[in-house]
């Protein structure tokens, strides 16, 4: 079974340019997540798709970031225009449904892609 | 805002030594996971703990979830060079995971 794939693996662009990152989740995974790690910081949640719908986009930094998941399969994350502080590693992850436990607890098993390293100069 | 602090940030030990990595928060998490990440790859899930006080073992790795579900620890017994990597804890917040800052472990042969 193929894992989560991301393209490109690296991207170097100039400030003001546009970049589009792509994520292909594991087949059959309705949940797709985007995360970002900027240098020296922790991995931070950006947004969560359930199929083609945005379930939670509370982590998106600003309106220069646009995520789409047309047809509920692959997803793209576009940064336009890119700024220096957008540099970092962008991870995509996918999962099946949540596992529910007693007392309203839950977890889900995320499978991460290798990430796209974005450098804005 | 839910935060997860990991300690230590860096750890360099000799092969055969034991070590413990801590993951602490002032918030209660529904569940907590530990990941390991290699250079150029995404994090790979090691374990999920759900119940307060839960202990799980994965070969030489022992994971514990705090009684109040606010903290967790990862203990490695007799570390091997193959254990070298970045270890991350992540707690489920409001239907999304909050990641810790990570512990970079280097085991010297």
């Amino acid at each position: 079974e193929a894992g989560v794939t991301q393209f490109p693996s690296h991207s170097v662009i100039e400030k003001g340019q546009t970049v589009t990152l792509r994520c292909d989740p594991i087949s059959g995974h309705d949940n797709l997540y985007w995360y970002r790690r900027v240098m020296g910081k922790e991995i931070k949640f950006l947004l969560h798709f359930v199929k083609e719908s945005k379930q939670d986009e509370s982590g998106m930094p600003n309106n220069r970031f646009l995520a789409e998941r047309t047809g509920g399969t692959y997803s793209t994350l576009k940064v336009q225009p890119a700024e220096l502080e957008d540099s970092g590693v962008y991870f995509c992850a996918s999962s099946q449904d949540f596992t529910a436990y007693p007392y309203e607890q839950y977890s889900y098993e995320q499978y991460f892609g290798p990430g796209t390293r974005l450098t804005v100069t | 805002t839910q935060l997860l602090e990991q300690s230590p940030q860096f750890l360099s030990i000799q092969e055969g030594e034991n070590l413990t990595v801590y993951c602490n928060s002032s918030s209660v998490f529904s569940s907590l996971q530990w990941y390991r990440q290699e250079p150029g790859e995404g994090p790979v899930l090691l374990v999920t703990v759900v119940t307060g006080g839960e202990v799980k073992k994965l070969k030489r790795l022992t994971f514990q979830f705090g009684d109040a579900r606010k903290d967790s620890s990862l203990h490695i017994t007799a570390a091997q060079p193959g254990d070298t990597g970045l270890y991350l804890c992540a707690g489920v917040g409001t239907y999304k995971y909050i990641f810790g800052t990570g512990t970079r472990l280097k085991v010297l042969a």
Side-chain angles (χ1 to χ4, degrees), chain A residues 35 37 42-43 45 56 58 91 98 101 104-110 112-114, chain B residues 30-31 33 35 37 40 42-43 45 48 50 69 86 92-93 95-97 99-100:
Chain A
Y35 292 88
R37 179 195 281 147
E42 68 274 20
I43 295 174
F45 168 85
D56 182 351
S58 61
F91 291 104
F98 288 93
Y101 298 91
E104 299 183 340
Q105 292 174 256
Y106 49 89
S107 74
Y108 50 91
E109 186 166 342
Q110 300 178 98
F112 280 81
Chain B
S30 181
S31 60
Q33 295 180 332
Y35 291 81
Q37 186 179 7
L45 179 65
T48 301
V50 181
R69 306 205 319 270
L86 177 66
V92 171
Y95 289 97
K96 62 191 177 198
Y97 273 103
F99 277 84

Side-chain angles (χ1 to χ4, degrees), chain A residues 15-115:
Chain A
K15 176 182 172 181
Q17 289 185 322
T18 297
V19 63
T20 300
L21 314 181
R22 173 171 171 144
C23 168
D24 286 79
I26 292 173
S27 178
H29 282 190
D30 288 339
N31 295 281
L32 186 150
Y33 315 85
W34 283 99
Y35 292 88
R36 175 175 76 170
R37 179 195 281 147
V38 297
M39 191 161 53
K41 301 288 187 181
E42 68 274 20
I43 295 174
K44 284 197 171 178
F45 168 85
L46 296 178
L47 88 160
H48 169 206
F49 283 101
V50 177
K51 297 185 181 178
E52 66 275 10
S53 299
K54 291 177 184 174
Q55 179 75 15
D56 182 351
E57 53 183 331
S58 61
M60 294 287 263
N62 51 62
N63 59 11
R64 295 185 294 104
F65 289 75
L66 175 64
E68 294 180 322
R69 192 183 182 195
T70 306
T73 54
Y74 71 91
S75 174
T76 58
L77 179 64
K78 182 163 71 174
V79 185
Q80 178 183 31
E83 297 288 345
L84 298 178
E85 64 264 25
D86 300 333
S87 295
V89 181
Y90 290 76
F91 291 104
C92 174
S94 71
S95 75
Q96 292 182 317
D97 290 338
F98 288 93
T99 299
Y101 298 91
Y103 310 111
E104 299 183 340
Q105 292 174 256
Y106 49 89
S107 74
Y108 50 91
E109 186 166 342
Q110 300 178 98
Y111 295 84
F112 280 81

Side-chain angles (χ1 to χ4, degrees), chain B residues 2-61:
Chain B
Q2 292 177 302
L3 294 172
L4 271 173
E5 294 186 6
Q6 279 186 246
S7 61
Q9 283 188 290
F10 301 95
L11 191 56
S12 181
I13 61 172
Q14 292 293 132
E15 180 178 3
E17 292 184 355
N18 301 331
L19 67 114
T20 302
V21 176
Y22 299 94
C23 178
N24 295 296
S25 175
S26 58
S27 303
V28 175
F29 290 99
S30 181
S31 60
L32 191 138
Q33 295 180 332
W34 284 91
Y35 291 81
R36 178 176 154 185
Q37 186 179 7
E38 304 283 354
E41 298 179 6
V44 175
L45 179 65
L46 296 174
V47 76
T48 301
V49 285
V50 181
T51 306
E54 182 176 5
V55 176
K56 281 192 173 178
K57 293 193 174 184
L58 185 66
K59 297 183 180 178
R60 293 176 293 100
L61 279 60

Side-chain angles (χ1 to χ4, degrees), chain B residues 82-103:
Chain B
D83 295 328
T84 293
L86 177 66
Y87 289 83
L88 299 161
C89 63
V92 171
T94 312
Y95 289 97
K96 62 191 177 198
Y97 273 103
I98 309 297
F99 277 84
T101 48
T103 294

